[in-house]
Amino acid sequence: MVRPRAGLRRLTVDRHIPAGGMPQGLKLALAAEIFAGYITARRLMLRHDIRDVVLVMRPPGAPPAANGREPEEAMLVARRLGYAVTRTLRKLPTDSRCLVQALVLSRLLSVRGIDSTLVIGARSGPEFAAHAWVEYAGEPVLSPAGFDESRLVEL
């Protein structure tokens, strides 16, 4: 079993972002947090079962569920973070496939006290295909890309 790292620093990403968008300093700090999550996920995936990776990516001792937020506000934060993860990882010359995105987003949500479910779906049709996404309160935060009826596992 792998042990989670303590002392994760998190940014406040909420619905009170100014009209001009997020300040540049916060964008850079969030991108750094996403990249650090990416590095952690990739290293863990090399040596551990996906269930263990998910446990480590969601550190224990995270703030209480949704950190006192209303469900609508938590969903808004989850969607904004999902957008940020997708956009940031796509710009990097790295493996930014769905499983890595889902793991990084799970980490960001967890350290902000937002419960989420990482879902993996698969189809065996003419060619095998699989996809991973994240849900909050049963609603997708990252796109299920047509695999929502092909759920294989929820973590």
Side-chain angles (χ1 to χ4, degrees):
M1 179 68 158
V2 203
R3 293 181 183 227
R5 295 172 72 190
L8 292 174
R9 193 169 164 245
R10 66 184 166 98
L11 298 171
T12 303
V13 176
D14 60 21
R15 63 184 168 149
H16 306 292
I17 295 174
M22 218 175 175
Q24 193 65 25
L26 281 179
K27 282 183 183 179
L28 290 173
L30 181 57
E33 185 180 5
I34 291 168
F35 188 67
Y38 168 81
I39 295 295
T40 302
R42 293 294 299 160
R43 284 184 179 163
L44 291 169
M45 288 170 58
L46 291 173
R47 296 180 209 128
H48 301 284
D49 180 77
I50 189 64
R51 288 174 181 87
D52 291 337
V53 174
V54 170
L55 287 174
V56 173
M57 294 300 286
R58 293 183 184 150
N67 211 7
R69 293 183 177 99
E70 293 295 321
E72 299 82 21
E73 184 180 354
M75 176 58 93
L76 181 62
V77 171
R79 286 191 173 140
R80 285 185 172 173
L81 287 170
Y83 176 77
V85 166
T86 301
R87 188 163 179 186
T88 301
L89 292 181
R90 282 188 181 159
K91 289 183 178 186
L92 298 174
T94 60
D95 176 8
S96 61
R97 287 179 277 187
C98 58
L99 181 58
V100 175
Q101 289 180 21
L103 288 167
V104 172
L105 180 57
S106 288
R107 180 184 195 92
L108 267 61
L109 293 172
S110 178
V111 298
R112 287 163 177 81
I114 299 174
D115 294 326
S116 65
T117 303
L118 189 146
V119 184
I120 299 173
R123 286 191 223 129
S124 60
E127 284 190 34
F128 176 80
H131 182 64
W133 67 95
V134 174
E135 293 181 351
Y136 168 72
E139 294 293 319
V141 177
L142 291 178
S143 171
F147 282 82
D148 42 348
E149 297 298 322
S150 308
R151 290 170 180 263
L152 193 58
V153 67
E154 296 181 10
L155 304 166

